[in-house]
Amino acid sequence: MKKIAVYTSGGDSPGMNACVRAVVRTGIYHNLDVYSIKYGYDGIINGNISKMESHSVSNILQRGGTILKSARSNEFRTKEGRKKAYDQLTKHGIDGLVAIGGDGTFTGAKIFYEEFGIPVVGCPGTIDNDIYGTDYTIGFDTAVNTALEAIDKIRDTAAAHDRVFFVEVMGRDSGYIAVECAIGGGAEVVMVPETITTSKQVSDYLKNLRESKTSSIVVVAEGDEEGDAATIMAKVKSEFVGEEEKKFKVTTLGHIQRGGSPTAKDRLLGSRSGLAAVEGLLNGKFNCMAGIINDQVVYTPFDDCINKNKPLNKDYLRLQEILSI
Amino acid sequence: MKKIAVYTSGGDSPGMNACVRAVVRTGIYHNLDVYSIKYGYDGIINGNISKMESHSVSNILQRGGTILKSARSNEFRTKEGRKKAYDQLTKHGIDGLVAIGGDGTFTGAKIFYEEFGIPVVGCPGTIDNDIYGTDYTIGFDTAVNTALEAIDKIRDTAAAHDRVFFVEVMGRDSGYIAVECAIGGGAEVVMVPETITTSKQVSDYLKNLRESKTSSIVVVAEGDEEGDAATIMAKVKSEFVGEEEKKFKVTTLGHIQRGGSPTAKDRLLGSRSGLAAVEGLLNGKFNCMAGIINDQVVYTPFDDCINKNKPLNKDYLRLQEILSI
Amino acid sequence: MKKIAVYTSGGDSPGMNACVRAVVRTGIYHNLDVYSIKYGYDGIINGNISKMESHSVSNILQRGGTILKSARSNEFRTKEGRKKAYDQLTKHGIDGLVAIGGDGTFTGAKIFYEEFGIPVVGCPGTIDNDIYGTDYTIGFDTAVNTALEAIDKIRDTAAAHDRVFFVEVMGRDSGYIAVECAIGGGAEVVMVPETITTSKQVSDYLKNLRESKTSSIVVVAEGDEEGDAATIMAKVKSEFVGEEEKKFKVTTLGHIQRGGSPTAKDRLLGSRSGLAAVEGLLNGKFNCMAGIINDQVVYTPFDDCINKNKPLNKDYLRLQEILSI
Amino acid sequence: MKKIAVYTSGGDSPGMNACVRAVVRTGIYHNLDVYSIKYGYDGIINGNISKMESHSVSNILQRGGTILKSARSNEFRTKEGRKKAYDQLTKHGIDGLVAIGGDGTFTGAKIFYEEFGIPVVGCPGTIDNDIYGTDYTIGFDTAVNTALEAIDKIRDTAAAHDRVFFVEVMGRDSGYIAVECAIGGGAEVVMVPETITTSKQVSDYLKNLRESKTSSIVVVAEGDEEGDAATIMAKVKSEFVGEEEKKFKVTTLGHIQRGGSPTAKDRLLGSRSGLAAVEGLLNGKFNCMAGIINDQVVYTPFDDCINKNKPLNKDYLRLQEILSI
């Protein structure tokens, strides 16, 4: 292997830049030529490809977002699009790829590898922590801390007015962000897609609680089966009357959870995963993702990353419940 | 004057605790007995009144919210309610009040003073910066910085995906938070209640801009005449087609802007205003607010605080426009 | 077991309050009476013991320091002191203890258990991450992030003036904080107690580097064998002349690393460890520490916690070296 | 005027980049060609001069440090050096300068103007807030908030161990940073160059205080006449004995105060000052600084900026004293 290229794809996450930097510098360390591709799969197709030097990735470690930009590509979903992409890589002499992203990114990479035999290793870049094959994904820790700081602020104003706040956090079909925020933020209730909690249960719980607590926080994962936070709040609120009813408020944290300077953990994870991806390519580990499990690098086939489920640690739900009394 | 009491009322704001601390300690410094009232005007009516010592306000300077809680009182809007409140104060021997809050708080205080002659001085506690008689209100600087940090994070993800984000910030009928955030966050457009900007103007502006800028931020003040950020975004988006249309996103920052540890400026302003309120009471300054104008304490009659308009500095709008090119 | 008590001892660390809260609420959940002891072992001796309710630990999860205060006790090092302590516990009917702290805390707990048979379970509360029997200690993640934010700020001014900064971080005999900060902060060099790096090596390295980099950061662990950061900087600086010599600066981060609102990770770890400690007591796990290894609760005998060495992951040093090119 | 150039000089401060951006974009708005000069006066001499476009200053508003780098120039202190600088400017056709920095920067600019008639307007960029002609300097608000966050963290650990911390903050000969930190941080004592406070007075004060307070913070301005914080602490400590003596700790915050993302206030001030500097040049305001006094742009002759003293608001010292009881 002589020339490798790196790209980011799908939703951006804090720590992607740390990962890009690690790929570039580890490649140079091993005497590879390293290229960057902008705008993910669209960028391969369009030949948006540049040579990277060590200093090209200076001063990006601490920045959110991705300097390589990201995009979702419709053209790459077609055979013709992928052929164009392959031709571009051939033209540039690129014989290895590092793909930073989530499920969708890896699905593209897997098909591309199977069709054209181009070696690819993935790095788990998503805030959702929903990828099998790694304890944490790059960006998750930052997103949790961002959401937690928001919940701390909301707690201030909730306490001042004896309010019940429903706070919606991200995570797609995963309750990881929600449950870690709920424990860290001392939330009274957490609603995640992995378990069934009805609005009725929540209103009953809050009614009991209102004798011992004047304000409460309910954290709702965006993928919860009961609906979004505003919908759930409306249902719960309808079980209360008079002054009580006025105490309900809802806030949806939104895209602030995707940005911001990455935490130490995400910089470390992005760096380790990026280094492992390049060394994986050099050691013939293709069609797989470089994750960290129990503090060790593990290469997991894309097939497993995409198809296997990463279950929520149920101990966390029990912990949240016991500590919110 | 021998016994004074302090309360917070209306929406909470960061720095209210610094102000409460200053009132308590300045009162003690001047050999007054100082009492706290919880839950604002309702607390006066219900006699929710406690003696404060110097250590009662230890370790609160850095905390958001208000340890005195806040509430909006319907009963105090009635003559009967205010009579009950007056009786409670008489019962406790309280002969002076410090009211921390905004317009509504001062309106209550003014009526109370006029009906019962109870000396009151106000401190401007609101994030909205919409009170005549002070350069800044307590909590404004923190709210702006909180919103700005959120915009910085959103800028990361906007840049990664070449998106246009509409970000709604608080401020009620005032555009202060919006315009300071927009300048600080390098927003491309700001929409405030003080000026007319149509959705059409925004979409035209963004169309021109898209040749030089791939991502943009539009800051919308919650009181803007064109509607809320989601409404405006929908209108603007409808002027774009295809891939362009998918780039629009909206986020409403919500109640995170009310909480959080106060900035240095808000701790200083809360402290100064609290001290000035107590010394105002001791010097016969009643029925007025202790604000800071040009770094000097100024006592402004409640009448003016409530009825006079605090205009937005138009230089700021020009600055935002020039710097967003 | 009917009555348990919890105390914090040794250096404080962010997340100790989360742990205290978890102990109190888990105890109450299991129908135990829970007491708090202030000022660690001195507090046991002096009977500084209070009954805790669920609300006693409200609103402390997000706070640095320890509401139970901490102290180092000379008296507890004597047999007489420990006898007094035992008598106090007997007097209060306390039949189980949770000790939050580090090596010194566990040494005291172990002797106390061996002499008087009082069941104790420990929780690893220290920023240094130097305790065998847990992947991380409570407070470590916060300390790393605090130091990292400081390094990010120093990088700004270092880059503006093309300077070389030596930054000393905490960690006692462990290089964990230093190495995670160095990776996260993109430091050019890291000096830790676990490996030998001479000042001469550092100056040679920096001389080579100055052709490709105009500013640099050297992270020094406080326990490094070459001395403290000021000493090392002086030695390194003496190898440079003229303008080059003026570029060297040193900063010692100091006690800011001990304080601050805990990160999500530290709130989670403190909570899990606190819950596990109480359930350990209930299940006959005495004279051991409740740590988290590979995301599972593990009880490790105090003997091992104290005597076994927790080695630095050498992959981290290699990672730092490769990425600093 | 057709071509202007901007440079930063002296110690860097957060918000300098906001100011650079404002100069560039305001210049372009007024149809000027705008150039940047790197490394301050040395950069003029060496012709380190580049053309700037609007996008050259994209994405720098939120960054600490200065993208134009800074340096102290010995050569510019000589007539020959300044002649070289003038020749470079002539060569590039530059007929106006914006100088961002402090006293030293303005002294250089003034001499340069007087010798060669080159129009210069200054912007007050320094964290020290020691410049006459502006209420605040660019970077001051960020430095105060950074120091304040550090003091909040130190308060956590001070309270946990009942310690007395001496915290040294920056500010050169000015006590502004110290006094605003002390008020915001609830410090028990503040020592500034503008007033005489002896170590003996501090130890007496702390002795009295130790009955009502278990932990204390003493903020020391770096320019205090009693010496640095370590020296003062040693003197104060020597007045205590036994256990009391062990409670004293010192920390010097150092260069973290110079870096970090600027606050909203500093971004606004940097932006306003930069715009005013360019419009000053266009309106014949030379040899002066564009500051903000009472929310209005004011141009103050360099002579006054350099020679007149900016006194500390004594109300602040009284406020600190009353609130620390």
Side-chain angles (χ1 to χ4, degrees):
Chain A
M1 201 160 292
K2 293 283 171 53
K3 294 184 178 183
I4 63 169
V6 57
Y7 58 96
T8 55
S9 166
D12 64 313
S13 74
M16 279 188 162
N17 283 329
C19 192
V20 169
R21 174 179 175 267
V23 170
V24 170
R25 294 200 170 168
T26 304
I28 291 169
Y29 175 83
H30 286 299
N31 298 311
L32 300 173
D33 284 347
V34 187
Y35 291 79
S36 69
I37 299 163
K38 280 201 166 175
Y39 294 104
Y41 291 112
D42 268 358
I44 310 184
I45 293 170
N46 302 324
N48 203 332
I49 299 173
S50 319
K51 182 84 189 301
M52 299 295 274
E53 308 300 337
S54 182
H55 63 78
S56 314
V57 291
S58 288
N59 208 22
I60 66 167
L61 187 57
Q62 77 280 22
R63 289 197 212 150
T66 161
I67 60 161
L68 300 189
K69 306 265 186 170
S70 187
R72 297 180 203 267
S73 171
N74 289 324
E75 198 173 355
F76 195 78
R77 294 181 186 204
T78 66
K79 183 79 191 252
E80 294 71 33
R82 292 191 295 274
K83 179 64 172 61
K84 278 196 213 168
Y86 178 70
D87 291 344
Q88 285 284 2
L89 295 179
T90 307
K91 196 176 102 188
H92 285 82
I94 290 164
D95 45 11
L97 290 175
V98 176
I100 307 171
D103 271 8
T105 306
F106 299 159
T107 303
K110 179 175 121 67
I111 297 173
F112 201 37
Y113 174 77
E114 288 167 357
E115 285 179 352
F116 297 98
I118 180 107
V120 199
V121 178
C123 296
T126 163
I127 64 168
D128 301 325
N129 202 28
D130 57 354
I131 308 282
Y132 181 89
T134 192
D135 287 341
Y136 295 105
T137 55
I138 305 164
F140 170 70
D141 189 59
T142 307
V144 170
N145 278 288
T146 298
L148 187 54
E149 282 168 31
I151 290 171
D152 283 352
K153 290 186 209 295
I154 288 166
R155 175 75 76 185
D156 287 341
T157 189
H161 291 274
D162 293 350
R163 281 182 175 144
V164 180
F165 262 90
F166 284 68
V167 181
E168 184 177 311
V169 299
M170 285 186 165
R172 292 200 309 172
D173 295 334
S174 163
Y176 261 102
I177 292 178
V179 82
E180 292 214 3
C181 282
I183 294 168
E188 276 67 21
V189 181
V190 62
M191 301 181 75
V192 293
E194 288 86 349
T195 60
I196 305 288
T197 313
T198 66
S199 302
K200 187 67 173 52
Q201 286 172 308
V202 175
S203 59
D204 289 349
Y205 187 81
L206 291 174
K207 278 179 188 171
N208 282 332
L209 213 59
R210 291 304 288 267
E211 283 159 40
S212 63
K213 299 209 179 187
T214 53
S215 66
S216 300
I217 305 267
V218 179
V219 174
V220 180
E222 65 175 337
D224 192 66
E225 77 289 344
E226 277 283 287
D228 63 17
T231 307
I232 296 171
M233 188 205 70
K235 284 191 217 165
V236 171
K237 187 178 168 178
S238 70
E239 302 285 326
F240 290 78
V241 291
E243 284 304 303
E244 286 289 299
E245 193 198 358
K246 292 177 193 160
K247 297 195 171 288
F248 288 85
K249 293 275 173 189
V250 66
T251 199
T252 300
L253 295 184
H255 279 76
I256 58 168
Q257 296 166 85
R258 294 203 169 278
S261 183
T263 60
K265 275 276 167 293
D266 278 330
R267 297 189 201 186
L268 179 60
L269 176 57
S271 299
R272 291 183 83 181
S273 176
L275 180 139
V278 174
E279 300 197 334
L281 279 178
L282 289 171
N283 294 307
K285 309 271 185 190
F286 306 153
N287 207 19
C288 63
M289 183 190 78
I292 305 289
I293 299 177
N294 296 344
D295 208 31
Q296 299 298 323
V297 173
V298 175
Y299 297 93
T300 301
F302 279 146
D303 247 342
D304 290 351
C305 298
I306 297 161
N307 297 316
K308 288 197 180 168
N309 189 30
K310 180 176 184 175
L312 197 59
N313 186 335
K314 292 294 163 66
D315 286 356
Y316 287 19
L317 294 171
R318 180 171 178 267
L319 181 68
Q320 188 278 328
E321 215 177 305
I322 290 177
L323 299 192
S324 67
I325 56 173
Chain B
M1 199 158 293
K2 293 283 174 52
K3 292 185 180 183
I4 63 169
V6 57
Y7 58 96
T8 54
S9 166
D12 64 314
S13 74
M16 279 188 161
N17 283 329
C19 191
V20 169
R21 172 179 176 268
V23 170
V24 170
R25 295 201 170 169
T26 305
I28 290 169
Y29 174 84
H30 286 298
N31 299 311
L32 300 172
D33 284 348
V34 187
Y35 290 80
S36 69
I37 298 163
K38 280 202 167 175
Y39 294 104
Y41 291 111
D42 268 358
I44 310 184
I45 293 169
N46 303 325
N48 202 332
I49 299 172
S50 320
K51 182 84 187 303
M52 300 296 273
E53 309 301 337
S54 182
H55 64 78
S56 316
V57 290
S58 288
N59 208 21
I60 66 166
L61 186 58
Q62 76 280 23
R63 289 198 214 149
T66 161
I67 60 162
L68 301 187
K69 304 263 186 172
S70 186
R72 299 181 201 267
S73 170
N74 289 324
E75 198 172 358
F76 195 77
R77 294 181 186 205
T78 66
K79 185 78 191 252
E80 294 71 33
R82 291 190 294 274
K83 180 67 173 62
K84 278 196 212 167
Y86 178 70
D87 291 345
Q88 285 284 2
L89 295 180
T90 308
K91 197 177 101 189
H92 284 83
I94 290 164
D95 46 11
L97 289 175
V98 176
I100 307 171
D103 271 8
T105 306
F106 299 159
T107 302
K110 179 176 122 67
I111 298 172
F112 200 39
Y113 174 77
E114 288 166 357
E115 285 178 356
F116 297 98
I118 180 106
V120 199
V121 178
C123 297
T126 163
I127 62 167
D128 301 324
N129 201 29
D130 58 353
I131 308 282
Y132 181 89
T134 192
D135 288 339
Y136 294 105
T137 54
I138 304 163
F140 170 70
D141 189 57
T142 306
V144 170
N145 278 289
T146 299
L148 187 53
E149 282 168 32
I151 290 172
D152 284 351
K153 290 187 210 294
I154 288 167
R155 174 74 75 183
D156 287 341
T157 189
H161 291 274
D162 293 350
R163 281 182 176 145
V164 180
F165 263 89
F166 283 69
V167 181
E168 184 176 311
V169 299
M170 285 186 163
R172 292 201 311 173
D173 296 333
S174 162
Y176 261 103
I177 292 178
V179 81
E180 291 214 2
C181 282
I183 294 168
E188 276 66 23
V189 182
V190 62
M191 302 181 75
V192 293
E194 288 86 350
T195 60
I196 305 287
T197 314
T198 65
S199 302
K200 187 64 173 56
Q201 285 172 309
V202 175
S203 58
D204 289 349
Y205 187 81
L206 291 174
K207 278 179 188 172
N208 283 331
L209 213 58
R210 291 304 290 267
E211 284 158 40
S212 62
K213 299 207 178 188
T214 53
S215 67
S216 299
I217 305 268
V218 179
V219 174
V220 180
E222 67 175 335
D224 192 67
E225 76 290 343
E226 277 281 288
D228 63 17
T231 306
I232 296 171
M233 188 205 70
K235 283 191 216 165
V236 171
K237 187 179 167 177
S238 70
E239 303 285 327
F240 289 78
V241 289
E243 283 304 304
E244 287 290 299
E245 194 197 357
K246 292 177 192 159
K247 296 194 172 291
F248 288 85
K249 294 274 172 188
V250 66
T251 198
T252 300
L253 295 184
H255 278 77
I256 58 168
Q257 296 165 86
R258 293 204 170 279
S261 184
T263 59
K265 276 274 165 293
D266 278 331
R267 298 189 199 184
L268 178 61
L269 176 59
S271 299
R272 292 183 83 181
S273 176
L275 179 140
V278 174
E279 301 196 334
L281 280 178
L282 290 171
N283 293 308
K285 311 270 186 191
F286 306 153
N287 206 19
C288 62
M289 182 191 78
I292 305 289
I293 300 178
N294 297 343
D295 208 33
Q296 300 298 322
V297 172
V298 174
Y299 297 94
T300 301
F302 279 146
D303 247 340
D304 291 350
C305 297
I306 297 161
N307 297 316
K308 287 198 180 168
N309 188 30
K310 179 177 184 174
L312 195 60
N313 186 336
K314 292 295 163 66
D315 287 355
Y316 288 18
L317 294 171
R318 181 172 177 266
L319 180 68
Q320 187 278 327
E321 216 177 304
I322 291 176
L323 300 191
S324 68
I325 57 173
Chain C
M1 199 160 295
K2 292 284 173 52
K3 292 184 181 184
I4 63 169
V6 57
Y7 58 96
T8 54
S9 167
D12 63 314
S13 73
M16 278 187 162
N17 282 329
C19 190
V20 169
R21 172 178 175 268
V23 170
V24 170
R25 295 201 170 166
T26 305
I28 291 170
Y29 175 83
H30 287 297
N31 299 311
L32 300 172
D33 283 348
V34 187
Y35 291 79
S36 70
I37 299 163
K38 279 200 169 178
Y39 294 103
Y41 291 111
D42 268 0
I44 310 183
I45 293 169
N46 303 325
N48 203 332
I49 299 172
S50 320
K51 182 85 188 301
M52 299 297 273
E53 307 301 336
S54 182
H55 63 78
S56 314
V57 290
S58 288
N59 208 21
I60 65 166
L61 187 56
Q62 76 279 23
R63 288 198 213 151
T66 161
I67 60 162
L68 300 188
K69 304 263 187 173
S70 186
R72 299 182 200 265
S73 171
N74 289 324
E75 197 173 356
F76 194 77
R77 294 182 185 203
T78 66
K79 185 79 192 251
E80 294 71 34
R82 292 191 294 274
K83 180 67 172 63
K84 278 196 213 167
Y86 178 71
D87 291 345
Q88 285 284 2
L89 294 179
T90 307
K91 197 177 102 188
H92 285 83
I94 290 164
D95 45 12
L97 290 175
V98 176
I100 307 171
D103 271 7
T105 306
F106 299 159
T107 303
K110 180 176 121 68
I111 297 172
F112 200 39
Y113 174 77
E114 288 168 355
E115 285 179 353
F116 297 98
I118 180 107
V120 199
V121 178
C123 297
T126 163
I127 63 167
D128 301 324
N129 201 29
D130 57 354
I131 308 282
Y132 181 89
T134 191
D135 287 339
Y136 295 105
T137 55
I138 304 163
F140 170 70
D141 189 58
T142 307
V144 169
N145 278 288
T146 299
L148 187 54
E149 282 169 31
I151 291 171
D152 283 351
K153 290 187 210 295
I154 287 167
R155 173 75 74 184
D156 287 343
T157 190
H161 292 274
D162 293 349
R163 281 182 175 144
V164 180
F165 263 90
F166 283 69
V167 182
E168 184 177 311
V169 300
M170 286 185 163
R172 292 200 310 172
D173 295 333
S174 163
Y176 261 104
I177 293 178
V179 81
E180 292 214 1
C181 281
I183 294 169
E188 276 67 22
V189 182
V190 63
M191 301 180 75
V192 292
E194 288 85 350
T195 59
I196 305 287
T197 313
T198 65
S199 302
K200 188 63 175 54
Q201 285 172 309
V202 175
S203 58
D204 289 348
Y205 187 81
L206 291 174
K207 278 178 189 172
N208 282 331
L209 214 58
R210 291 305 289 267
E211 284 159 39
S212 63
K213 297 208 179 186
T214 53
S215 67
S216 300
I217 304 269
V218 179
V219 174
V220 181
E222 66 175 336
D224 192 66
E225 76 289 345
E226 277 281 288
D228 64 16
T231 306
I232 296 172
M233 188 205 70
K235 283 191 217 166
V236 171
K237 187 179 167 178
S238 70
E239 303 285 326
F240 289 78
V241 290
E243 284 303 303
E244 286 290 300
E245 195 198 356
K246 293 178 192 159
K247 295 193 173 292
F248 288 85
K249 294 273 173 191
V250 66
T251 198
T252 300
L253 295 184
H255 278 77
I256 58 168
Q257 296 165 86
R258 293 204 171 278
S261 183
T263 59
K265 276 276 166 290
D266 278 330
R267 298 189 198 185
L268 178 60
L269 175 59
S271 299
R272 292 183 82 182
S273 176
L275 179 140
V278 174
E279 301 197 334
L281 280 177
L282 290 171
N283 294 307
K285 310 268 185 192
F286 306 154
N287 206 19
C288 63
M289 182 190 78
I292 305 289
I293 299 178
N294 296 344
D295 208 33
Q296 300 298 322
V297 172
V298 175
Y299 297 94
T300 301
F302 280 147
D303 248 341
D304 291 349
C305 297
I306 298 161
N307 297 315
K308 289 199 180 167
N309 188 31
K310 180 177 184 176
L312 195 60
N313 186 336
K314 293 293 162 66
D315 287 356
Y316 287 20
L317 294 172
R318 180 172 177 266
L319 180 69
Q320 187 278 327
E321 216 177 305
I322 291 177
L323 300 191
S324 68
I325 56 173
Chain D
M1 200 160 291
K2 293 283 173 52
K3 292 186 180 183
I4 63 169
V6 57
Y7 58 96
T8 55
S9 167
D12 64 313
S13 74
M16 279 188 162
N17 282 329
C19 191
V20 169
R21 172 179 175 268
V23 170
V24 170
R25 295 202 170 167
T26 305
I28 290 169
Y29 175 83
H30 287 299
N31 298 311
L32 300 173
D33 284 347
V34 187
Y35 291 79
S36 69
I37 298 164
K38 280 201 166 175
Y39 293 105
Y41 291 112
D42 268 359
I44 311 185
I45 292 170
N46 302 325
N48 203 331
I49 299 172
S50 319
K51 182 85 187 302
M52 299 296 273
E53 309 301 336
S54 183
H55 63 78
S56 314
V57 291
S58 287
N59 209 22
I60 66 166
L61 187 56
Q62 76 280 22
R63 289 196 214 151
T66 161
I67 60 161
L68 300 188
K69 306 264 185 169
S70 187
R72 297 181 202 266
S73 170
N74 288 324
E75 198 174 356
F76 194 77
R77 294 181 185 202
T78 66
K79 184 78 191 251
E80 294 70 34
R82 292 192 293 274
K83 180 65 173 63
K84 277 196 213 168
Y86 178 70
D87 291 343
Q88 285 284 1
L89 295 179
T90 307
K91 196 176 102 187
H92 285 82
I94 290 165
D95 46 11
L97 290 175
V98 176
I100 307 171
D103 271 9
T105 306
F106 298 160
T107 302
K110 180 176 121 63
I111 297 173
F112 201 39
Y113 175 77
E114 288 167 358
E115 285 179 354
F116 296 98
I118 181 107
V120 199
V121 177
C123 296
T126 162
I127 63 168
D128 300 324
N129 202 29
D130 58 353
I131 308 281
Y132 181 91
T134 192
D135 287 341
Y136 295 106
T137 55
I138 304 163
F140 170 70
D141 189 58
T142 306
V144 169
N145 278 288
T146 298
L148 187 54
E149 283 168 31
I151 290 171
D152 283 352
K153 290 187 209 296
I154 288 166
R155 175 74 75 184
D156 287 341
T157 189
H161 291 274
D162 294 351
R163 282 183 175 143
V164 180
F165 262 89
F166 283 68
V167 182
E168 183 177 311
V169 299
M170 285 187 165
R172 291 201 309 171
D173 295 334
S174 162
Y176 261 102
I177 293 178
V179 82
E180 292 214 1
C181 282
I183 294 168
E188 276 67 21
V189 181
V190 62
M191 301 181 76
V192 293
E194 288 86 351
T195 60
I196 305 288
T197 313
T198 65
S199 302
K200 187 64 174 53
Q201 285 173 308
V202 175
S203 59
D204 289 349
Y205 187 81
L206 291 175
K207 278 178 188 172
N208 283 332
L209 214 58
R210 291 303 291 267
E211 284 158 39
S212 62
K213 298 209 178 186
T214 53
S215 67
S216 300
I217 305 270
V218 179
V219 174
V220 180
E222 66 174 337
D224 192 65
E225 76 289 344
E226 277 281 289
D228 62 17
T231 306
I232 296 171
M233 188 205 71
K235 284 192 217 166
V236 171
K237 187 179 167 178
S238 70
E239 303 284 327
F240 290 79
V241 290
E243 283 304 303
E244 286 289 300
E245 195 199 356
K246 292 178 192 158
K247 296 194 172 291
F248 289 85
K249 294 275 173 188
V250 66
T251 198
T252 301
L253 295 184
H255 279 77
I256 59 167
Q257 296 166 84
R258 293 205 169 278
S261 183
T263 59
K265 275 276 166 292
D266 278 330
R267 298 189 200 186
L268 179 60
L269 176 58
S271 299
R272 290 183 83 182
S273 177
L275 179 139
V278 173
E279 300 197 335
L281 279 178
L282 290 172
N283 292 308
K285 310 268 186 194
F286 307 152
N287 206 18
C288 63
M289 183 190 77
I292 305 289
I293 300 178
N294 296 343
D295 208 31
Q296 299 297 322
V297 173
V298 175
Y299 297 93
T300 301
F302 280 146
D303 248 342
D304 290 352
C305 298
I306 298 161
N307 296 315
K308 289 197 179 167
N309 189 29
K310 179 176 185 175
L312 196 60
N313 187 337
K314 293 293 162 65
D315 286 356
Y316 288 18
L317 293 172
R318 180 172 177 266
L319 180 68
Q320 188 277 327
E321 215 177 304
I322 291 176
L323 300 191
S324 67
I325 57 174

